[in-house]
Amino acid sequence: MSAAGSESSVSAPVKVDGEGLPLWLLLELTYRCPLKCPWCNNPLDFDRYRNELTTEEWVDVLRQGRELGALQLGFSGGEPMQRRDLEELVGEATRLGYYTNLITSGMGLNEQRLAALQRAGLKQVQLSLQACDAELNNRLVGADAYAHKIAAARAIKARGFPMVLNVPVSRYNIEQAPALLELAEELGIEYVEFANLQYYNWALLNRSDLLPTREQLSVAEAVVAETRARLGRRMTIYFVITDYYAERPKACMKGWGNIHLTIAPDGAALPCQEARVIEGLKFPNVRDHDLGWIWHESPVFQKFRGESWMQEPCRSCPERGHDYGGCRCQAFLLNGDAASTDPVCGKSPNHHLIEEAVAAAMAGRPQNRLIMRQRGLNVA
Amino acid sequence: MNNNVGLQRTDIVEIDPTFLFRWEEPQRAYVLLYPEGLVKLNSTAGEILAVVAQTVAVGDLLDNFIAKYNNPDIADDILTFLEASNERGWVRIKR
Ligand SMILES: C[S@@+](CC[C@H](N)C(=O)[O-])C[C@H]1O[C@@H](n2cnc3c(N)ncnc32)[C@H](O)[C@@H]1O
Ligand code: SF4
Ligand code: SF4
């Protein structure tokens, strides 16, 4: 008799066998947000999406998601607190049996709404924080946010929620890693995620200003290792080195259409949050199709599922079952072909694009010309 | 907080209350859901945690499984699994 489980988490990429089910469902309730993060992974034309799903339509998505086998549910955005029906949606999700996660900047998360969310059965909160001094934090998000975020963190912990502190890492804030960890410890936060930026959308626009240096990363890594050793089980720290400095790509989404399903504010179903950057794909919408068809049958979800779409060098590579050839969005954005090998991979013929991007970023700095997330930006 | 991993027969164990544990029909398995992750349990682990989910003394749990499978040797394996689950934070000692 032996007892074990197959485990999946962001830090330990052990495969959970989803048996082809969308175990992770992410609802981007809105693209609206009071902050202006210059790395925001929302689309550059976010303000063109005005036709958000209604409460009834989201409830229907929740019901269909559970029927398909979804278990982990994220409410994200934009800023999900902008939706006045969030409490109602969390309540419905709880009744349906999801593990509910709120992914928030903390803006609009006051004591009263937090209490209502807890009554509705919310299980966990992920709060983003950019720095542990008000001046830098507010500069990075383009608004007076620091005090709100700290108040939100205290309120979340006072109510006993397990909490993830998400720190989007750039060269501007990475040196605050020790102070951020101290703050997290003082607040009693169980999970800290140093999220190395994914360079799509706003982050790609600002890439050469945001990329940390290798030295900054190794210093931060050492601090993380020391803190892990000191705090043991009290805190789990996720620290994934940015793929621009890696030899192999990330196992993006654990495979396209494998366990992740994102629904965008307008009802478009996406294999990952960023997939809209790939031009020429027509994403199925929950207003037109049922979720079962979208997941199992729609051309977009089948397009990069499995391995048959792969080109060389991935096609014959022994590592293909491990990283699925990397990220389709990155392949499209940097190579112009979503079916090509992620250029982050040392085996990609385009790997020089990554090396050149790093070299250019290091040479041309500091520019301090961050383009903040904003409406109507003409990027042509 | 008890950092000592060794469990005593008299310890009352429960699933960490911030976790969600239940049978999941599409998976035909017990699952454990927690921040940033989920675990699909094999049938043995699921069977054990289903008893832990009722809040139980370690000794009673062991005795029941020994009787059920008519095999005293399984006690060690079950205890090892419970201690690993405690170490991972899935299961905690109730006080
Ligand atoms: C898009 S935000 C939406 C929720 C909320 N507005 C917030 O910022 O917390 C979701 C998460 O992604 C992180 N994030 C945003 N842009 C990112 C990027 N380019 N790379 C990695 N993480 C990013 C944020 O820090 C946040 O934790
Ligand atoms: S990353 Fe920043 S700008 Fe984007 S949605 Fe979150 S808080 Fe708003
Ligand atoms: S060639 Fe493709 S499959 Fe092989 S390691 Fe690189 S990205 Fe992964």
Side-chain angles (χ1 to χ4, degrees):
Chain A
M1 177 166 182
S2 77
S6 50
E7 185 162 3
S8 158
S9 78
V10 288
S11 72
V14 186
K15 271 192 206 162
V16 71
D17 185 0
E19 279 140 32
L21 303 176
L23 296 178
W24 292 76
L25 179 59
L26 183 75
L27 307 185
E28 295 186 318
L29 295 180
T30 177
Y31 285 140
R32 287 173 287 137
C33 180
L35 302 187
K36 306 181 177 105
C37 308
W39 53 80
C40 184
N41 56 17
N42 286 179
L44 295 176
D45 59 353
F46 65 92
D47 59 315
R48 286 185 39 229
Y49 299 85
R50 301 262 165 91
N51 50 346
E52 289 176 12
L53 295 187
T54 63
T55 309
E56 293 68 35
E57 286 171 317
W58 282 122
V59 167
D60 194 38
V61 167
L62 288 171
R63 189 184 48 71
Q64 293 187 54
R66 274 296 290 148
E67 277 169 17
L68 274 180
L71 289 167
Q72 282 278 359
L73 179 68
F75 289 100
S76 186
E79 179 44 61
M81 298 308 302
Q82 295 274 323
R83 289 278 305 215
R84 302 314 299 184
D85 55 359
L86 179 65
E87 291 82 343
E88 185 179 344
L89 295 175
V90 169
E92 194 56 37
T94 304
R95 271 187 290 286
L96 288 165
Y98 286 100
Y99 189 91
T100 46
N101 303 270
L102 172 63
I103 303 166
T104 179
S105 66
M107 303 305 282
L109 183 60
N110 58 28
E111 184 50 39
Q112 199 186 351
R113 293 198 74 186
L114 196 59
L117 287 166
Q118 192 163 41
R119 279 197 301 278
L122 183 68
K123 292 283 181 306
Q124 199 251 163
V125 185
Q126 172 178 317
L127 176 76
S128 60
L129 183 71
Q130 291 69 26
C132 48
D133 69 89
E135 190 278 319
L136 179 59
N137 192 95
N138 294 347
R139 184 154 58 89
L140 285 176
V141 302
D144 206 351
Y146 183 75
H148 294 278
K149 284 170 179 277
I150 296 298
R154 291 196 194 282
I156 293 161
K157 282 322 294 175
R159 290 189 168 272
F161 284 106
M163 178 175 165
V164 179
L165 190 72
N166 170 284
V167 182
V169 168
S170 68
R171 77 168 174 100
Y172 292 94
N173 63 354
I174 189 164
E175 283 163 21
Q176 292 205 351
L180 282 159
L181 286 167
E182 269 169 42
L183 178 67
E185 187 185 353
E186 181 213 311
L187 292 169
I189 295 169
E190 300 91 337
Y191 303 84
V192 176
E193 177 179 10
F194 289 102
N196 273 297
L197 294 179
Q198 318 263 10
Y199 292 99
Y200 320 104
N201 293 329
W202 297 92
L204 185 57
L205 267 190
N206 288 303
R207 180 177 65 184
S208 50
D209 242 19
L210 293 170
L211 256 183
T213 67
R214 266 179 201 278
E215 293 67 33
Q216 284 181 317
L217 281 170
S218 37
V219 171
E221 230 172 349
V223 171
V224 167
E226 184 274 322
T227 310
R228 278 188 186 137
R230 188 165 54 81
L231 296 183
R233 273 173 57 186
R234 271 197 288 147
M235 193 190 284
T236 302
I237 308 171
Y238 305 111
F239 183 90
V240 185
I241 188 162
T242 175
D243 55 0
Y244 274 59
Y245 290 122
E247 280 299 300
R248 289 290 179 266
K250 55 186 183 283
C252 191
M253 309 315 283
K254 301 196 165 73
W256 180 277
N258 188 21
I259 60 174
H260 279 270
L261 172 59
T262 294
I263 309 296
D266 61 336
L270 315 174
C272 97
Q273 268 169 289
E274 318 294 347
R276 278 193 148 137
V277 303
I278 304 176
E279 286 161 26
L281 294 184
K282 181 150 183 352
F283 293 98
N285 195 295
V286 296
R287 283 179 166 139
D288 309 322
H289 299 282
D290 65 76
L291 223 46
W293 180 85
I294 288 172
W295 181 258
H296 293 294
E297 319 263 342
S298 70
V300 161
F301 276 77
Q302 296 192 60
K303 194 159 177 81
F304 304 114
R305 190 176 265 158
E307 298 180 351
S308 55
W309 55 272
M310 286 182 180
Q311 308 170 355
E312 292 298 347
C314 295
R315 178 177 293 183
S316 58
C317 177
E319 295 173 54
R320 66 184 186 279
H322 178 70
D323 64 25
Y324 316 101
C327 170
R328 298 305 91 225
C329 304
Q330 194 144 271
F332 176 81
L333 286 172
L334 302 187
N335 298 335
D337 178 0
S340 61
T341 298
D342 185 335
V344 153
C345 181
K347 298 186 188 185
S348 159
N350 282 344
H351 185 62
H352 63 93
L353 294 176
I354 298 289
E355 292 168 337
E356 285 157 18
V358 171
M362 297 307 131
R365 292 200 315 199
Q367 299 179 328
N368 289 312
R369 277 210 312 256
L370 288 174
I371 302 168
M372 306 304 277
R373 173 183 141 138
Q374 59 193 275
R375 291 206 166 134
L377 182 77
N378 188 353
V379 283
Chain B
M1 177 167 193
N2 182 8
N3 288 317
N4 177 6
V5 193
L7 290 175
Q8 310 299 319
R9 284 184 60 89
T10 50
D11 287 336
I12 310 282
V13 285
E14 64 177 1
I15 307 266
D16 182 304
T18 63
F19 287 31
L20 208 55
F21 170 81
R22 64 142 194 282
W23 177 260
E24 182 65 10
E25 190 52 37
Q27 302 281 333
R28 311 201 132 275
Y30 282 103
V31 293
L32 193 60
L33 302 166
Y34 51 91
E36 308 279 302
L38 61 97
V39 172
K40 175 178 153 186
L41 297 144
N42 70 25
S43 58
T44 320
E47 203 186 330
I48 298 169
L49 290 189
V51 177
V52 174
Q54 312 292 315
T55 305
V56 68
V58 172
D60 293 347
L61 181 147
L62 294 178
D63 293 345
N64 287 341
F65 274 99
I66 290 170
K68 181 170 175 195
Y69 290 97
N70 194 18
N71 176 7
D73 299 340
I74 63 176
D76 276 355
D77 275 351
I78 295 177
L79 195 60
T80 306
F81 171 69
L82 282 179
E83 285 174 349
S85 304
N86 182 25
E87 172 73 2
R88 285 170 152 153
W90 301 351
V91 163
R92 67 173 200 182
I93 299 173
K94 187 171 179 159
R95 35 197 69 228

